[in-house]
Amino acid sequence: MNLIFVGPPGAGKGTIAAKIAAELSIPHISTGDIFRQNIREQTELGKKVKQILDSGELVPDELTIDLVSDRLSHSDAQAGWILDGFPRTETQAEALDEFARVDEVVFFRIDDEEVVKRLGGRRVHPASGRTYHIEFDPPKEPGFDDETGEPLIRREDDEPDAIRHRLEVYRKETAPVVDYYQRDGRLVEVDAAQPIEGVFEDLRAIVEEVQNR
Ligand code: ADP
Ligand code: AMP
């Protein structure tokens, strides 16, 4: 099953994608996670994109499209995948249609005020991408990853200025992606403002519907 999660930063796409991917035993492919891993490992790609990520701008389409096209060709992605954070521009959406089949696109609807609360309290375990929230989804021990016990960090782009900028970029560049999929009937919407369990249950129902087609 090939699923896309789209919506503003902080809507909870990554949180839910990790859970659904684990249930379906398919990879959760987050372009943001891939870029951050490259930054941590100081690869050529990482050096190229660090400034862009820190400021909340988008990485150029060509580079991002090549990265995803390559990732989807790996053997673990042949039985399905969840794409989280891609496509983020209409150009990326058109390109994806050239090299992959998309079964369903899930739009995470949420307002800016809630997004700001979520991103302000987000903490991540850099090596795994595991995500917590200091209030809404806290780790067992504050500041440390549940599985490894390693410290959690706050993302550079979760600072207030970068959050504001990312919401602007979302409206300008990514909102048209939602329209793109809506036009041809591939879009389904979830109320992403619910608690995590509620969003997860809605996603399970969507997955079941796609499986029964
Ligand atoms: P995205 O991948 O869409 O940017 P995340 O999954 O990283 O968003 O979630 C952003 C923050 O909000 C994280 O700190 C996460 O723990 C928290 N979060 C995710 N889903 C919910 C939810 N339904 N209710 C409350 N907090 C949530
Ligand atoms: P995310 O983890 O999805 O919030 O993404 C973090 C950052 O990675 C974004 O603000 C962009 O700088 C970059 N990024 C992630 N996905 C894409 C994409 N599909 N196109 C361009 N830039 C992206």
Side-chain angles (χ1 to χ4, degrees):
M1 177 173 324
N2 301 340
L3 301 175
I4 290 177
F5 286 4
V6 65
K13 304 179 297 294
T15 300
I16 302 297
K19 291 175 183 287
I20 294 285
E23 279 203 350
L24 296 176
S25 298
I26 56 176
H28 162 209
I29 300 172
S30 154
T31 39
D33 280 351
I34 296 173
F35 290 134
R36 281 186 292 275
Q37 185 183 356
N38 276 273
I39 292 171
R40 262 198 334 280
E41 292 171 357
Q42 299 187 3
T43 65
E44 279 310 306
L45 173 65
K47 287 177 196 156
K48 227 185 266 180
V49 302
K50 180 173 180 354
Q51 205 60 48
I52 300 175
L53 263 82
D54 285 352
S55 66
E57 290 292 322
L58 292 185
V59 174
D61 281 334
E62 202 186 314
L63 210 166
T64 310
I65 291 165
D66 285 349
L67 180 100
V68 172
S69 159
D70 175 68
R71 180 65 187 84
L72 295 187
S73 72
H74 292 193
S75 58
D76 70 332
Q78 299 320 299
W81 35 259
I82 300 177
L83 270 177
D84 155 22
F86 181 95
R88 244 181 171 92
T89 65
E90 202 165 341
T91 304
Q92 294 178 9
E94 285 164 358
L96 181 65
D97 276 335
E98 300 289 320
F99 60 77
R101 186 196 79 236
V102 173
D103 292 319
E104 194 84 304
V105 181
V106 183
F107 170 46
F108 283 60
R109 181 180 288 281
I110 191 163
D111 62 31
D112 285 5
E113 204 185 323
E114 184 63 26
V115 156
V116 170
K117 274 193 229 157
R118 289 189 183 181
L119 295 179
R122 174 158 68 182
R123 299 291 181 272
V124 296
H125 176 240
S128 65
R130 264 188 297 280
T131 301
Y132 302 86
H133 189 282
I134 51 173
E135 186 183 342
F136 308 137
D137 189 15
K140 292 188 189 106
E141 194 185 338
F144 296 94
D145 179 47
D146 285 352
E147 291 193 19
T148 63
E150 289 166 353
L152 303 177
I153 59 145
R154 184 170 176 167
R155 275 170 50 172
E156 293 274 346
D157 59 353
D158 282 345
E159 299 302 326
D161 278 353
I163 293 176
R164 217 168 303 121
H165 187 57
R166 283 156 71 210
L167 283 168
E168 279 166 25
V169 170
Y170 171 78
R171 255 184 286 281
K172 184 158 170 277
E173 304 285 349
T174 310
V177 172
V178 176
D179 298 338
Y180 175 85
Y181 290 118
Q182 190 144 43
R183 278 201 293 275
D184 61 13
R186 282 184 283 179
L187 195 81
V188 59
E189 185 175 311
V190 294
D191 173 10
Q194 304 174 80
I196 294 174
E197 268 312 305
V199 184
F200 186 37
E201 284 311 314
D202 285 359
L203 253 300
R204 274 188 161 147
I206 290 167
V207 164
E208 208 179 306
E209 193 275 319
V210 175
Q211 279 169 334
N212 291 332
R213 269 180 199 165

